[in-house]
Amino acid sequence: KGGIALVNAGKLTTCTHLQFQPFQFNQGAKVVGFDVDVIDLVAKRLGVTQDIIDIDFAPIKSGAVLSSGRCDLAAAGMTITDERRKNIEFSVPYFDATQALLARKGSGLTSLGDVKAKNLKIGAQASTTGLEYVKRKGFDPIEFADSPKELLGLQTGQADVIVQDLPVVATWLKKPDVRAKYEVVAVLDTGERYGIGMKKGNTALSKVVNEVIEGAKADGTYDTIYKKWFGT
Ligand code: GLN
């Protein structure tokens, strides 16, 4: 059976949420990133072209865009959770992440406890595991629609500290203007793993996606992609 039978519209349609550098973001008009490279391997394996759609993260993590057939895949640096698993068929994990707490240099903060003790405003990205985590810890976070807005919220003083996936924060800190003023003051070891999402029950497609991920890990392609986006 040809790969084309596994996709909805004769092409691999992938839902994502920009900007989430280095996993998916615009380089000019082009959407590039770690996740894009992974799903391009899937498209290649299926012998179809790739179409990436940028939408909110909420209908991605709920599985709505997968169950409706709008997208064949969701690739959005999305953490696999038990809650999301109820409505999404997840691939095997392809990336490990934790949460990082980013604050102004010299803040003296070293933990979420310090943030609470000083009654500081914490920011998080809407619909994400980082937001859920700090809510569970008793915070009432300021929600930002995407990661650039979240960083801007820190830079403009709307939030005193922000919580975000560590690889995204690490990528921000590569920018000299960010690195000059901000630092990671705590890593919250949430033990997250990203998975590619598919329609719940679509085991035919998930089998292929898993083979692609496992094959890439085995033959060095995964390492090449990792080095491309994270350096050595
Ligand atoms: N990994 C986080 C989550 O799954 C953030 C994903 C994102 O913002 N694209 O909630």
Side-chain angles (χ1 to χ4, degrees):
K1 178 164 84 172
I4 199 154
L6 295 174
V7 296
N8 289 321
K11 59 187 176 179
L12 184 66
T13 310
T14 298
C15 280
T16 196
H17 180 55
L18 306 173
Q19 311 285 330
F20 201 63
Q21 199 171 350
F23 298 99
Q24 47 269 331
F25 61 103
N26 277 109
Q27 218 160 55
K30 219 172 159 227
V31 178
V32 299
F34 189 103
D35 287 5
V36 177
D37 285 350
V38 172
I39 58 176
D40 276 349
L41 296 175
V42 175
K44 197 173 156 199
R45 164 70 182 274
L46 295 173
V48 295
T49 56
Q50 173 92 260
D51 191 15
I52 297 177
I53 301 179
D54 176 31
I55 60 165
D56 278 352
F57 190 62
I60 294 178
K61 72 142 187 188
S62 74
V65 292
L66 298 165
S67 56
S68 71
R70 179 162 184 211
C71 285
D72 301 298
L73 302 182
M78 177 162 58
T79 303
I80 301 167
T81 70
D82 288 342
E83 184 62 30
R84 294 172 183 177
R85 243 189 226 291
K86 290 179 191 161
N87 305 306
I88 295 174
E89 194 73 36
F90 276 106
S91 70
V92 292
Y94 66 91
F95 199 90
D96 293 339
T98 58
Q99 295 294 320
L101 201 59
L102 189 68
R104 190 168 275 278
K105 276 187 176 171
S107 69
L109 302 168
T110 59
S111 68
L112 271 182
D114 292 345
V115 175
K116 188 164 280 174
K118 294 190 177 176
N119 203 19
L120 298 175
K121 289 174 290 177
I122 190 164
Q125 188 188 329
S127 303
T128 62
T129 47
L131 177 81
E132 288 160 15
Y133 183 84
V134 293
K135 276 187 171 175
R136 277 202 304 278
K137 297 286 176 188
F139 290 90
D140 183 18
I142 305 168
E143 294 186 29
F144 297 96
D146 56 40
S147 69
K149 290 197 178 92
E150 185 187 7
L151 177 60
L152 194 63
L154 177 67
Q155 290 169 322
T156 58
Q158 229 186 315
D160 300 308
V161 294
I162 54 175
V163 64
Q164 175 59 271
D165 291 20
L166 178 62
V168 172
V169 172
T171 305
W172 286 339
L173 289 170
K174 287 181 178 168
K175 298 177 191 159
D177 60 320
V178 178
R179 195 171 53 230
K181 286 187 182 157
Y182 303 95
E183 63 185 356
V184 172
V185 295
V187 172
L188 313 167
D189 195 2
T190 48
E192 293 176 58
R193 301 188 304 171
Y194 296 168
I196 303 293
M198 287 151 283
K199 183 177 188 162
K200 186 72 188 173
N202 193 347
T203 49
L205 184 56
S206 71
K207 186 169 178 283
V208 173
V209 173
N210 288 345
E211 282 169 10
V212 167
I213 293 170
E214 276 155 4
K217 283 185 179 167
D219 72 8
T221 307
Y222 183 94
D223 287 342
T224 304
I225 295 173
Y226 192 95
K227 283 202 187 92
K228 177 176 168 189
W229 298 108
F230 290 98
T232 46

